[in-house]
Amino acid sequence: MTQAAPQQFKSARSGRLVVPGWMNLVPGRADSIEIQLDVAREDLERTQATLLIEYWATPDELTLQSVLPVRAFQATQEGWCAFVPPQGRVLVRAIDPQPNPPVLASHWINVDPATPSGTTVNVTVRFPEATTPVQALLNQPR
C-alpha cells in the first residue's frame, strides 16, 4: 500500500509554496504576515546549505522550528514563504557546513502586534564569502 504525498500549500497572495507546518502557529491568532524567503542567486548551487527557520511567539517560547534545504529553492519556480501572526520573532539562519570553517548568516524579524494584516516581509539570504585560513590570518588585528 502506498501513502499519498502530503498536500503542499501555496500562498494565495504570492503563489509561493508554504514551508510545511508554517500555518496556524498561535491558537486564536490569524496568520496574517507572509514572510517571503529568497536565496541569492550566487548561493543556489550550494549542495549542503540549509535555512533554519524559527518562530518565537514569546521571548521564552520557541513555537516552531523548520529546516529548508537550499536545494528546495532550485526545485521550484514559485519560491517559499511562511505565515506568522502579528506577534513574536522570526529567526532565519543560513547554514552551509561544507566549507571549512562553516558559513553562517542570521536574520531576525521582530513582528509588531500592530502590523497590518496582509503585510509581506521579504528576506533575501546571502551567505557570506568563506574566508581561507590565510585570509583569516591577514585580517586579524595587530
Side-chain angles (χ1 to χ4, degrees), residues 22 35 37-39 48-56 62 64-70 73 89-97 103-109 123-128:
W22 281 79
I35 309 287
L37 303 164
D38 295 304
V39 174
Q48 300 297 320
T50 59
L51 300 183
L52 175 61
I53 309 161
E54 297 177 350
Y55 173 68
W56 296 75
L62 174 59
L64 181 63
Q65 186 177 58
S66 295
V67 174
L68 184 63
V70 167
F73 290 85
R89 297 175 90 182
V90 177
L91 173 60
V92 178
R93 289 187 245 201
I95 305 164
D96 188 348
V103 179
L104 172 67
S106 297
H107 305 275
W108 272 107
I109 302 160
V123 176
T124 300
V125 174
R126 282 190 174 81
F127 287 85

Side-chain angles (χ1 to χ4, degrees), residues 17-91:
L17 298 172
V18 178
V19 176
W22 281 79
M23 298 181 338
N24 304 316
L25 299 179
V26 177
R29 298 294 308 253
D31 295 326
S32 59
I33 312 300
E34 182 174 342
I35 309 287
Q36 295 183 352
L37 303 164
D38 295 304
V39 174
R41 181 175 307 279
E42 60 271 16
D43 291 315
L44 287 174
E45 299 304 316
R46 291 178 177 269
T47 56
Q48 300 297 320
T50 59
L51 300 183
L52 175 61
I53 309 161
E54 297 177 350
Y55 173 68
W56 296 75
T58 68
D60 301 324
E61 178 188 349
L62 174 59
T63 307
L64 181 63
Q65 186 177 58
S66 295
V67 174
L68 184 63
V70 167
R71 68 179 179 272
F73 290 85
Q74 300 165 0
T76 181
Q77 296 296 318
E78 296 93 345
W80 291 89
C81 68
F83 283 94
V84 298
Q87 75 179 67
R89 297 175 90 182
V90 177
L91 173 60

Side-chain angles (χ1 to χ4, degrees), residues 94-122:
I95 305 164
D96 188 348
Q98 194 167 29
N100 189 11
V103 179
L104 172 67
S106 297
H107 305 275
W108 272 107
I109 302 160
N110 292 308
V111 186
D112 187 319
T115 303
S117 273
T119 297
T120 300
V121 177
N122 296 91

